[in-house]
Amino acid sequence: MVSRQYFQSVFGYHFWANSRILNKASLIQPEEFKEDLGVSHGSLHATLFHMLRAEEIWYQLIERGELKSAPLVPADVDSLTAIKAKWMEIEKKYLTFLDRAADDDFEATVQVKDQNDVVTPYQRWRMLQHVLYHGAQHRAEAALILTHLGHSTGDLDFIFY
């Protein structure tokens, strides 16, 4: 049903679109970065933090089925520079995983253990797809914040990637 080539393509787009958001974010004032505008998680910082944290958590679950380290907290990535650096680490992990995965790995079921040790089975391709859809939702919200602050990202459509 799904293939490594498909996920390499859509995650390539995903990280390209994220980089467009991060590049435009570098144009806003520091006080604007944390200003609560009532969109998504409030501020651009909080929205980007939420996206980043979710991608980190889901990567660990996709790869191992459980968290190997404690999730990020806002103080871990208190600036745009820190967010960009952490995102590059996570992006590299996803791309490395996708480069080495076989098509069968996407159909495999991962036994995901939550913080209460409850185990839920998920097919890996569904988890990866969730990361993409979750990112698209919050990327759109971040783009809205940036547009409100006068720094539109322009077209983020997949066709332009």
Side-chain angles (χ1 to χ4, degrees), residues 4-58:
R4 178 169 52 102
Q5 183 178 11
Y6 166 76
F7 278 111
Q8 287 173 319
S9 174
V10 293
F11 269 90
Y13 160 75
H14 175 73
F15 292 125
W16 169 83
N18 285 351
S19 73
R20 298 269 309 260
I21 295 290
L22 296 172
N23 288 339
K24 287 295 183 171
S26 67
L27 301 176
I28 66 172
Q29 298 301 314
E31 62 274 8
E32 293 174 316
F33 187 55
K34 293 190 176 180
E35 180 182 357
D36 188 340
L37 297 172
V39 177
S40 186
H41 290 267
S43 68
L44 183 57
H45 174 261
T47 301
L48 294 176
F49 169 76
H50 173 77
M51 292 170 65
L52 179 64
R53 180 182 166 148
E55 289 192 15
E56 180 192 49
I57 289 170
W58 278 105

Side-chain angles (χ1 to χ4, degrees), residues 61-72:
L61 297 176
I62 288 163
E63 188 176 57
R64 293 175 177 51
E66 61 186 323
L67 298 181
K68 68 174 185 161
S69 61
L72 288 172

